[in-house]
Amino acid sequence: MLQPQKGICAEPSLHALYLLLNVNDDDDCLMRIKIAQIIDLFAHYDEEHYEAMVSGVVAIGSSYWHEVYPGLIPVELAPFPDMHYDDRSAPVSPCDLFIQVRADRADICHGLAMEIMRILGSHVDLMEDIRGFRYLDGRDLTGFVYGADNPKGMQKLDTALVGELDPDFAGGSYIHVQRYRHNIVKWEQLSTSQQEYIMGRKKSDNSQLNDALKSPRSHFDCAKIVDNQGKAMGILRQSMPYGDMHVQGLFFVSCAKSPKPFEYMLRNMIINDENGEYDRLLDYTSAETGAAFFAPSLTFIKQRAN
């Protein structure tokens, strides 16, 4: 397998900084060089500040890929699955580049992001700059443990990275991002048992509830991704809470060897089943952005920069 970007399967960190950018320069060769420079910058910071567990990802937007890397295309590269049903939606926010910076030090994230922006300079427009943080023992701001079902160890690689079925892009990953905004005031008006009914887990220890105590379409059940034949499909979540005293939410990031698991999960959450059920967590949070990317291997990036 070609060498993947370290940040795709990195262990959870204390801090993150997510940059979403649009390219305003048609010099594609220059952008390929700059992307490779950012990859080298990640490696430099990782070496210089090894105690901070620095990692990063550079991912290319599904619509921009054809411009910056013409010719070879990841087999399953596809636009973000724009979905709307009743008052629930997964809106699309087209974006050319997604850069994820993570570390156990907020100052390192900030400094690294500033250097990235200096490299990109006036060639890009910064659309969003979201700072994520670890909340308590790895919880979302709803108070529930987040990402506990993520694959572990070597299973991460099998879940998140493209394999030999697409050899030119082995070691790459399909990435989807969404910025969810929580209605915390409305959520906190619910009792703990009502919240647990919606989530399908105990708030205290994240243990599963029996069917009689949870919604037929609980959030955690919707997040268990299976295809039409009942076969399990996995994603690796790299999401983190974000917010201030005015706005709180979750910056959702998923990495997978195929875009299909994310699309199945989104459909499970948004679309009513035959009994009119959907993920009731969406009554208390809503996606405000959505974009699809591909993060190629380090090998691919460096070869195409020459």
Side-chain angles (χ1 to χ4, degrees):
M1 180 180 291
L2 304 181
Q3 186 179 4
Q5 296 187 49
K6 180 180 177 181
I8 294 171
C9 293
E11 291 298 314
S13 59
L14 298 180
H15 303 278
L17 209 161
Y18 305 107
L19 304 175
L20 293 105
L21 310 116
N22 280 330
V23 178
N24 57 34
D25 193 320
D26 59 3
D27 188 341
D28 301 327
C29 180
L30 179 63
M31 286 308 302
R32 290 194 291 272
I33 292 171
K34 288 184 177 294
I35 289 169
Q37 289 174 343
I38 293 170
I39 291 298
D40 289 339
L41 187 63
F42 285 143
H44 172 72
Y45 264 74
D46 187 25
E47 183 176 347
E48 289 293 307
H49 305 281
Y50 62 89
E51 83 290 348
M53 304 299 289
V54 179
S55 69
V57 175
V58 179
I60 316 302
S62 58
S63 60
Y64 182 57
W65 179 275
H66 307 273
E67 297 180 39
V68 71
Y69 294 118
L72 285 175
I73 301 172
V75 169
E76 295 188 79
L77 187 66
F80 186 88
D82 187 9
M83 291 187 196
H84 303 270
Y85 196 92
D86 291 342
D87 60 347
R88 304 178 296 281
S89 66
V92 180
S93 305
C95 186
D96 294 335
L97 294 175
F98 168 62
I99 301 177
Q100 173 182 276
V101 180
R102 293 178 59 182
D104 283 346
R105 287 174 51 182
D107 61 329
I108 295 296
C109 285
H110 184 83
L112 180 46
M114 287 184 66
E115 290 205 41
I116 290 170
M117 293 306 299
R118 278 195 285 269
I119 288 173
L120 295 173
S122 60
H123 303 282
V124 300
D125 297 318
L126 179 62
M127 310 306 293
E128 284 205 324
D129 165 9
I130 305 296
R131 296 171 186 267
F133 55 88
R134 181 179 173 88
Y135 180 60
L136 302 177
D137 54 341
R139 294 174 185 265
D140 177 40
L141 295 176
T142 59
F144 284 78
V145 174
Y146 187 85
D149 296 333
N150 260 347
K152 306 293 191 295
M154 294 301 292
Q155 191 181 0
K156 279 186 177 182
L157 305 181
D158 182 60
T159 298
L161 301 177
V162 173
E164 295 305 322
L165 291 179
D166 191 3
D168 291 319
F169 295 100
S173 186
Y174 293 92
I175 294 181
H176 293 86
V177 305
Q178 294 176 286
R179 177 171 48 76
Y180 280 89
R181 180 170 181 168
H182 297 342
N183 188 333
I184 293 294
V185 172
K186 183 179 178 183
W187 176 254
E188 290 180 345
Q189 290 173 353
L190 299 176
S191 67
T192 298
S193 61
Q194 288 173 320
Q195 293 177 356
E196 291 176 342
Y197 176 83
I198 290 169
M199 301 299 284
R201 297 286 180 96
K202 292 285 290 182
K203 194 171 188 177
S204 57
D205 61 7
N206 198 45
S207 59
Q208 295 190 41
L209 297 175
N210 64 51
D211 290 345
L213 297 176
K214 67 180 182 180
S215 166
R217 292 286 289 276
S218 73
H219 176 67
F220 284 105
D221 283 338
C222 288
K224 292 178 182 176
I225 310 162
V226 295
D227 62 19
N228 293 331
Q229 286 73 47
K231 182 180 179 181
M233 305 171 68
I235 61 174
L236 178 64
R237 294 168 175 83
Q238 294 281 18
S239 316
M240 294 187 83
Y242 74 91
D244 52 29
M245 296 304 102
H246 301 286
V247 176
Q248 299 88 33
L250 179 76
F251 195 87
F252 176 88
V253 182
S254 71
C255 308
K257 60 185 176 183
S258 165
K260 291 186 176 68
F262 173 78
E263 185 172 350
Y264 274 98
M265 182 188 70
L266 204 58
R267 191 173 300 279
N268 285 343
M269 293 172 64
I270 291 175
I271 308 300
N272 285 354
D273 65 14
E274 62 276 9
N275 298 314
E277 294 292 341
Y278 59 91
D279 184 353
R280 298 288 171 173
L281 180 60
L282 297 180
D283 292 339
Y284 303 89
T285 188
S286 57
E288 296 187 328
T289 63
F293 305 87
F294 187 79
S297 67
L298 296 177
T299 311
F300 182 95
I301 290 172
K302 292 176 180 179
Q303 287 176 345
R304 297 315 187 277
N306 298 324

